[in-house]
Amino acid sequence: MQEKIDQYTAEINAFSPANADELEVFRIKFLGTKGLIKDLFEEFKAVGPEEKRVFGKVLNQFKQMAEAKYAELKDGLDSGLKAQDLSLDLTLPGDGFEVGSRHPLSLVRNEIIDIFKRLGFVVAEGPEIEDDWHNFSALNFPQEHPARDMQDTFFIRKGDGSDDIALRTHTSSVQVRMMENGKPPFRAIMPGRVYRNEAISARAHCFFHQVEGLYVDENVSFSDLKQTLFHFVQELYGEGTKVRFRPSYFPFTEPSAEMDISCTICKGDGCNMCKYTGWVEILGCGMVDPNVLENCGIDSKKYTGFAFGMGIERITNLKYVIRDLRLFSENDVRFLKQFQTDII
Ligand code: PHE
């Protein structure tokens, strides 16, 4: 019996498995239910009392040694296998990851907001689904008046057949909400998405983005309007950019004007962008019509105000010369990545 124990001990100590299969063969051979250690314990039952005293201890120690060896080999094999499976090369560089960039329209909108914030304007927002009152009636568009056709509206027909709900056609609706719910003075800009029923092409889209502005207080005059917008243009397009005002018509302002700036591309020499006139139109503006003030519960004898509205897409085009409006909504990262120079 001692002989066998010595022989097995030597075999166990020398054993070094190359893989899990070899270790399993080892386990079955020595530690299995029909293994050699089990046999030794069977043999042990048959020996005399004298030998039992000697071998009891020896046999148990041998069994523990075999089990410990198995556990140790299994551990070693497991961790070895893990490293092998992953085939880790710790010197490999990590995977790069893409940093997103801001949409050019957001960049320009934020720039516009910043300029007006420095002049004391706050930002106001309102719903994109509007009722007739806020989008039209309060703004002096009489029912059935052709002025409503200036803006091709997406009406939303309700269950009862009425259609006084629409996608807002301009953010002037936010001006109405602001004046209805507060007291003058007001000095705010309203950025937001607006909708018009136009066929999608390089030059038109069924939605676009606006920033409108409103300033209502005592003694606000057209010269305040001119100077505010002149300052805005100098900030956005650089000192020396010229402006000119042309008479125009909007139901909600009187007098009304459109403002042109000297072409940002050719600096007034004439190019494709300004159709060789040297000027490009960037916004509509005017003094808030007294009817609009009254519609919103503001005393038009005491208060006057100016308002203006511009399309962010147009302003962005003049900054970056983007020839096709559709690029703004396609979200092609190759386009979007070209605008942000700093990572915020
Ligand atoms: N709401 C007008 C538009 O959608 C722009 C505008 C705003 C004009 C304020 C004058 C005053 O085109």
Side-chain angles (χ1 to χ4, degrees):
M1 200 166 199
Q2 183 63 51
E3 227 171 84
K4 279 188 186 162
I5 292 175
D6 289 346
Q7 188 201 325
Y8 295 163
T9 304
E11 200 179 319
I12 290 170
N13 280 334
F15 180 65
S16 162
N19 54 43
D21 289 345
E22 281 185 31
L23 183 63
E24 182 61 5
V25 171
F26 170 87
R27 187 190 66 78
I28 293 166
K29 179 174 174 187
F30 289 102
L31 298 164
T33 42
K34 291 181 183 134
L36 293 172
I37 294 174
K38 185 90 180 173
D39 289 350
L40 278 178
F41 275 90
E42 287 301 321
E43 255 181 66
F44 177 73
K45 282 184 195 162
V47 298
E50 186 60 22
E51 285 183 292
K52 270 210 165 85
R53 215 175 327 115
V54 181
F55 281 114
K57 203 170 167 207
V58 173
L59 203 52
N60 272 319
Q61 274 173 352
F62 169 66
K63 189 186 173 200
Q64 277 164 18
M65 185 281 281
E67 283 169 349
K69 174 80 178 181
Y70 172 73
E72 180 195 317
L73 289 172
K74 190 167 169 14
D75 267 6
L77 217 55
D78 282 353
S79 51
L81 281 176
K82 262 180 221 143
Q84 229 173 28
D85 281 357
L86 295 170
S87 39
L88 278 181
D89 177 353
L90 297 174
T91 64
L92 279 177
D95 287 343
F97 58 88
E98 295 273 315
V99 177
S101 59
R102 290 206 188 275
H103 195 286
L105 292 178
S106 302
L107 290 172
V108 171
R109 181 200 55 205
N110 292 348
E111 215 178 316
I112 296 170
I113 289 175
D114 281 349
I115 295 169
F116 282 104
K117 269 191 176 167
R118 290 199 289 275
L119 294 174
F121 283 70
V122 297
V123 175
E125 287 182 336
E128 292 184 13
I129 298 175
E130 260 306 1
D131 51 33
D132 180 275
W133 172 256
H134 292 97
N135 197 81
F136 292 120
S137 298
L139 288 163
N140 218 21
F141 287 84
Q143 285 292 340
E144 314 301 334
H145 192 278
R148 292 188 183 220
D149 294 342
M150 278 167 68
Q151 308 190 331
D152 301 297
T153 311
F154 284 116
F155 289 100
I156 298 170
R157 186 153 299 136
K158 290 194 293 192
D160 61 7
S162 64
D163 55 5
D164 66 336
I165 302 289
L167 294 177
R168 69 179 176 195
T169 59
H170 49 187
T171 54
S172 305
S173 54
V174 187
Q175 305 188 13
V176 175
R177 287 180 178 276
M178 188 173 203
M179 289 192 282
E180 278 177 340
N181 296 319
K183 282 195 167 62
F186 299 108
R187 206 173 346 170
I189 46 169
M190 299 84 184
R193 181 175 284 187
V194 302
Y195 301 83
R196 293 188 195 176
N197 187 3
E198 301 218 25
I200 297 170
S201 71
R203 301 181 60 83
H205 211 297
C206 59
F207 65 79
F208 61 99
H209 300 80
Q210 279 191 329
V211 175
E212 296 215 355
L214 174 73
Y215 184 20
V216 177
D217 203 348
E218 290 176 40
N219 300 319
V220 176
S221 69
F222 202 89
S223 61
D224 295 318
L225 161 78
K226 283 179 85 172
Q227 187 57 32
T228 303
L229 295 178
F230 176 75
H231 172 79
F232 163 68
V233 167
Q234 306 307 300
E235 291 281 296
L236 190 67
Y237 291 112
E239 294 287 324
T241 311
K242 292 196 207 107
V243 303
R244 76 175 183 188
F245 290 81
R246 285 177 291 102
S248 185
Y249 171 76
F250 299 102
F252 36 90
T253 46
E254 182 59 36
S256 304
E258 274 165 322
M259 189 178 86
D260 298 342
I261 60 171
S262 49
C263 181
T264 52
I265 309 304
C266 64
K267 306 284 174 235
D269 292 344
C271 69
N272 204 8
M273 178 69 92
C274 60
K275 301 195 192 85
Y276 301 94
T277 63
W279 295 96
V280 281
E281 184 213 317
I282 66 160
L283 54 80
C285 57
M287 299 307 290
V288 181
D289 192 299
N291 283 343
V292 175
L293 294 173
E294 294 295 336
N295 284 340
C296 299
I298 290 166
D299 182 354
S300 63
K301 302 233 164 32
K302 188 167 174 202
Y303 294 102
T304 50
F306 68 76
F308 55 88
M310 65 192 100
I312 305 178
E313 276 81 350
R314 176 131 190 86
I315 304 281
T316 308
N317 280 350
L318 290 172
K319 238 178 137 64
Y320 298 118
V321 196
I322 296 159
R323 298 254 174 229
D324 192 330
L325 269 182
R326 290 169 290 198
L327 287 165
F328 287 125
S329 48
E330 281 168 358
N331 281 338
D332 185 330
V333 284
R334 290 167 302 181
F335 171 74
L336 298 176
K337 286 221 152 201
Q338 295 175 45
F339 302 95
Q340 186 155 18
T341 47
D342 57 330
I343 310 277
I344 302 169

